[in-house]
Amino acid sequence: MNRLSNKVAIVTGASSGIGRVTARLFAAEGAKVVVGARRQAELDSLVAEIRAAGGDAVAVAGDVRSEDYHKALVAAAVERYGKLDIAFNNAGTIGEAGPSTDVSETGFADTLAINLTASFLAAKHQIAEMARHGGGSVIFTSTFVGYSFSFPGVAAYAASKSGLIGLTQALAAEYGPQNIRVNAVLPGAVDTDMYREMNDTPDKQAFITNLHALKRVATPEELARSVLYLASDDASFVTGTALLVDGGISITRT
Ligand SMILES: NC(=O)c1ccc[n+]([C@@H]2O[C@H](COP(=O)([O-])OP(=O)(O)OC[C@H]3O[C@@H](n4cnc5c(N)ncnc54)[C@H](OP(=O)(O)O)[C@@H]3O)[C@@H](O)[C@H]2O)c1
């Protein structure tokens, strides 16, 4: 408890899945949280849950493809809570999947816009604010896909998410001197809406589950605890990393 006392955080992709659970955990650990996604009703119910549990949060709905949206999230943190210490840039999409010879230019570009360019735009405004108050922690949600392992039919997703690892390293090197840590978390399969939409039959779920050394997929809570580690002072000397939280999918061949 209280590992994030007196901290102010932004969490994107907070309307569901990993982001929603992480926002709740950040708040339970003492952070004041600005939660973002497009679905206002889901954000409002999350804020209500956090407040009912004694925490503090505010919702700012919008689309991460807009640079103005990232300015608005940072402005909400500063105007309401006075500063920004932590940013979990987690919103993401599978994007246009299927045989790569069929993927459209707009589908590929849009996948990069949501997963990669939006993360850069977010960090650009977050880091500028963090630097004014002595530092901070930025975390991106990447994936093992396209890093340690891949499947057919996910070229846009893999390209966008592995791009986040280069972005992580470049920003970590650039802003380390200002006490800003930048890391990526690389989940294995996590039981969320995205996972269930991608794996919509028992056979597909069994196939994915079996790829993991632990022979199960993660809960969103397991990811949230790893993100909490990177956000907190427990990770005070950790920057520029790609942290696999993947149940061993990267090292398994059975
Ligand atoms: N589940 C897995 O197995 C898995 C594995 C590796 C990595 N990941 C990554 O984990 C992250 C979270 O995904 P999840 O599994 O928790 O799935 P999810 O429940 O579908 O969450 C995706 C989140 O991203 C938000 N989002 C998507 N497009 C957006 C946009 N254009 N603007 C603003 N917000 C947007 C969604 O909110 P709205 O729809 O309300 O906008 C939602 O909150 C993603 O980056 C995903 O790639 C997931």
Side-chain angles (χ1 to χ4, degrees), residues 12-20 36-40 42-43 62-65 69 88-94 114-115 141-145 157 161 164 185-197 199 220:
T12 71
S15 56
S16 58
I18 296 166
R20 188 178 185 98
R38 290 165 299 183
R39 287 171 290 169
Q40 181 80 59
E42 279 77 357
L43 294 179
D63 191 311
V64 291
R65 284 168 285 193
Y69 180 51
F88 180 35
N89 296 309
N90 164 74
T93 180
I94 286 291
I114 295 170
N115 289 347
T141 305
S142 179
T143 173
F144 67 93
V145 178
Y157 186 69
K161 289 291 189 177
L164 287 173
V185 66
L186 279 58
V190 188
D191 191 0
T192 65
D193 294 347
M194 182 182 286
Y195 165 76
R196 285 175 182 264
E197 281 158 24
N199 303 289

Side-chain angles (χ1 to χ4, degrees), residues 108-126:
F108 190 87
D110 202 44
T111 310
L112 262 68
I114 295 170
N115 289 347
L116 181 57
T117 311
S119 296
F120 169 73
L121 295 173
K124 171 181 165 182
H125 294 285
Q126 294 157 356

